[in-house]
Amino acid sequence: MPPIKVKMLDPKRPRGRSGKSGEGRARPQTRIQKEKQDLILEAALDVFSLHGFRGATIDQIAESAGMSKPNLLYYFRRKEDIYKQLIAGMLDVWLAPLRHMNSDGDPLPEIRSYIRRKLEMSRDFPRQSRLFANEVLQGAPRVVDMLEGDLKALVDEKAKIITGWMEQGKLRRADPYHLIFAIWATTQHYADFDVQVRAVLGEGRGGESRFAEAATFLEELFLHGLKPDA
């Protein structure tokens, strides 16, 4: 399973004081501003992943980024702004594999590809997965609008595609939403509970090969269950 080449922390639009003019219109970012924002976001990911939103402080993020607090506050006014930009960028990338599910493709290979991509993301972005899981466990107070908006719209769209495959006899009938939930649960387990997985598998099986083994098992599990009756 080769690594996914995705830049998690690439903000879609400027935020904070450097991102808006006096009239509220976005200014183009300079290269240095972009680098500073990426540095802050990367440091914030470490701090939020370790302490959670409530336990994290601007001082901790500034220290982790190797800059002064006033310098950090030039780019982001509040801790909430940093957190929301992290989550928004993360959710955008997290949903990319589902967006790639092609209605014109062969259903079983499309689902196989989705399972594998989700496992690759659990392998390559464990901090992001745990941060998002912690937010949802708290009731998603800061991102519920994203869940009810972009996330729901995308899942509705792909559930309709899966339902169409089932109606065409290409897949065994099942609830498409719970199918997607099940794939999320089984693949993201390898990020959110990685310590437990490695401890139970032991030294002999707890290395990088665990993701390839998981992919083989989950593909067989889901695809066997979805094959239409002969």
Side-chain angles (χ1 to χ4, degrees):
M1 295 174 65
I4 301 173
K5 296 185 178 181
V6 177
K7 185 171 179 59
M8 287 293 295
L9 302 178
D10 185 18
K12 288 186 169 181
R13 58 182 181 276
R15 296 173 185 263
R17 296 179 183 175
S18 64
K20 292 186 178 180
S21 69
E23 296 177 356
R25 291 177 296 181
R27 296 174 181 169
Q29 284 183 299
T30 67
R31 177 183 60 81
I32 293 176
Q33 287 174 330
K34 175 66 167 59
E35 290 174 353
K36 290 289 187 181
Q37 282 199 342
D38 286 349
L39 178 64
I40 292 167
L41 289 168
E42 180 64 23
L45 179 58
D46 280 335
V47 174
F48 285 130
S49 295
L50 182 62
H51 300 287
F53 176 80
R54 294 176 183 173
T57 67
I58 288 289
D59 293 286
Q60 290 170 333
I61 296 170
E63 180 180 0
S64 180
M67 63 175 60
S68 67
K69 182 177 179 179
N71 192 11
L72 184 150
L73 291 173
Y74 174 79
Y75 294 95
F76 294 93
R77 289 189 177 93
R78 305 175 303 160
K79 177 175 73 171
E80 289 83 352
D81 296 335
I82 304 173
Y83 187 83
K84 283 186 176 182
Q85 186 156 327
L86 265 180
I87 293 289
M90 183 192 330
L91 186 60
D92 186 57
V93 174
W94 224 245
L95 295 178
L98 188 57
R99 291 192 185 99
H100 292 157
M101 186 180 288
N102 184 2
S103 60
D104 295 327
D106 191 1
L108 292 177
E110 287 292 326
I111 293 172
R112 177 186 291 111
S113 176
Y114 181 52
I115 293 168
R116 188 164 287 267
R117 292 277 296 177
K118 288 292 291 179
L119 271 173
E120 288 172 348
M121 300 194 82
S122 289
R123 177 195 64 194
D124 296 338
F125 305 121
R127 293 176 302 165
Q128 290 87 342
S129 181
R130 289 192 289 269
L131 178 63
F132 186 73
N134 286 334
E135 171 67 18
V136 173
L137 286 172
Q138 294 172 20
R142 288 160 287 274
V143 299
V144 66
D145 56 330
M146 300 179 196
L147 303 184
E148 294 176 346
D150 292 345
L151 176 62
K152 176 170 172 49
L154 180 62
V155 174
D156 285 344
E157 174 191 336
K158 299 307 179 180
K160 186 175 181 180
I161 290 173
I162 294 170
T163 298
W165 286 334
M166 293 173 181
E167 290 175 346
Q168 295 167 29
K170 296 179 178 180
L171 294 177
R172 181 176 295 178
R173 286 191 176 273
D175 187 306
Y177 289 92
H178 289 292
L179 171 61
I180 293 171
F181 295 158
I183 293 173
W184 289 353
T186 51
T187 56
Q188 288 172 220
H189 176 89
Y190 291 89
D192 301 340
F193 294 92
D194 184 54
V195 173
Q196 175 178 276
V197 169
R198 287 187 286 111
V200 172
L201 288 177
E203 293 184 5
R205 299 182 60 198
E208 286 299 305
S209 63
R210 68 189 184 278
F211 291 99
E213 292 172 359
T216 299
F217 172 78
L218 292 177
E219 288 168 13
E220 176 64 21
L221 176 69
F222 282 106
L223 301 184
H224 179 74
L226 288 171
K227 284 181 180 178
D229 295 328

